Amino acid sequence: QVQLVESGGGVVQPGGSLRLSCAASGFSFRSYGMHWVRQAPGKGLEWVAFIRYDGNNKQYADSVKGRFTTSKDNSQNTLHLQMNSLRADDTAVYYCARSGSYYNADYWGPGTLVIVSS
Amino acid sequence: DIQMTQSPTSLSASVGDRVTITCQASQDITNYLNWYQHKPGKAPKLLIYEASNLETGVPSRFSGSGFGTDFTFTISSLQPEDIATYFCQQNDNLPLTFGPGTKVEIK
């Protein structure tokens, strides 16, 4: 069955960096695009980024553009999110999700918590 | 960006009750509307895709309808295991946007 597991979350100071990973299994990872979505404490869900199945097309939310970079290692079935210049308002649970037809986020991981605080 | 509104914010109902949640998009998204169930600490689960299609393995008490800008999600007979937050999401275009969620509790 499809399984997605995020890792790499933790506490980081403002201005710092963190790299999240998402390990995928149970499907042909190289054939699917992937999303990152986050949820800040007490807030709704916010889409963060999308990467096409081959890694050659990436889209970002305005709130993270220029600071976050997503990449896809199809040989390792792993998705990454490099987060730089982190701010307090980046504090959230970060989810990876598989992108099905028409950007449909059809399977999600349980998330990893990122806390940006001094 | 397409804005999604959802109501109610929360509801409390008895086991066996019919529960209805509505979602509205700020512009026409045809049927590119999904419904998810989210339990604390777990991965969100896709229940309904393209407004009315039941995801494989999802109980038939869950259903969805609508087209364009107005959508409805229904649990025909609420069960104790349905306690969760439900949210809608449009995938007509990026950025994906989400409704704020409806927290469903048992009375």
Side-chain angles (χ1 to χ4, degrees):
Chain A
Q1 72 280 21
V2 174
Q3 202 164 21
L4 299 167
V5 180
E6 304 90 344
S7 61
V11 180
V12 60
Q13 291 190 337
S17 298
L18 211 55
R19 190 190 196 209
L20 305 184
S21 297
C22 169
S25 60
F27 66 102
S28 176
F29 183 71
R30 65 180 62 250
S31 300
Y32 286 85
M34 298 291 294
H35 296 285
W36 288 99
V37 178
R38 68 184 181 183
Q39 185 170 33
K43 303 281 189 175
L45 291 155
E46 179 190 17
W47 173 82
V48 172
F50 166 79
I51 184 167
R52 202 173 71 176
Y53 69 95
D54 58 2
N56 286 337
N57 183 9
K58 305 174 187 182
Q59 304 286 333
Y60 298 94
D62 288 344
S63 58
V64 307
K65 204 171 290 183
R67 301 187 299 123
F68 289 12
T69 303
T70 189
S71 60
K72 196 171 184 278
D73 185 343
N74 286 336
S75 68
Q76 298 292 320
N77 289 351
T78 305
L79 176 72
H80 299 288
L81 184 67
Q82 177 66 43
M83 304 186 296
N84 299 330
S85 303
L86 283 161
R87 312 184 302 223
D89 62 359
D90 294 318
T91 293
V93 176
Y94 284 75
Y95 300 94
C96 63
R98 191 180 79 168
S99 182
S101 305
Y102 301 106
Y103 301 119
N104 186 10
D106 58 2
Y107 288 93
W108 299 52
T112 188
L113 177 61
V114 172
I115 298 174
V116 184
S117 174
S118 54
Chain B
D1 298 358
I2 299 171
Q3 307 303 316
M4 306 299 295
T5 56
Q6 189 177 333
S7 62
T9 303
S10 64
L11 66 87
S12 182
S14 300
V15 172
D17 280 356
R18 184 181 186 88
V19 167
T20 299
I21 299 168
T22 61
C23 179
Q24 187 169 57
S26 60
Q27 64 188 66
D28 187 346
I29 57 171
T30 61
N31 66 335
Y32 291 118
L33 189 284
N34 305 312
W35 291 97
Y36 297 86
Q37 178 189 67
H38 193 195
K39 298 182 178 181
K42 305 281 186 151
K45 180 183 178 183
L46 177 65
L47 301 179
I48 303 286
Y49 65 96
E50 294 176 5
S52 60
N53 294 299
L54 195 66
E55 181 74 349
T56 303
V58 173
S60 59
R61 65 180 180 274
F62 296 101
S63 65
S65 64
F67 191 89
T69 60
D70 295 297
F71 302 88
T72 300
F73 172 80
T74 299
I75 307 173
S76 61
S77 176
L78 186 67
Q79 299 302 304
E81 60 267 31
D82 300 336
I83 301 312
T85 296
Y86 294 84
F87 59 90
C88 60
Q89 174 240 314
Q90 67 79 22
N91 61 310
D92 180 65
N93 213 338
L94 296 179
L96 301 182
T97 48
F98 301 84
T102 297
K103 188 173 183 179
V104 174
E105 297 174 324
I106 296 286
K107 193 181 294 183

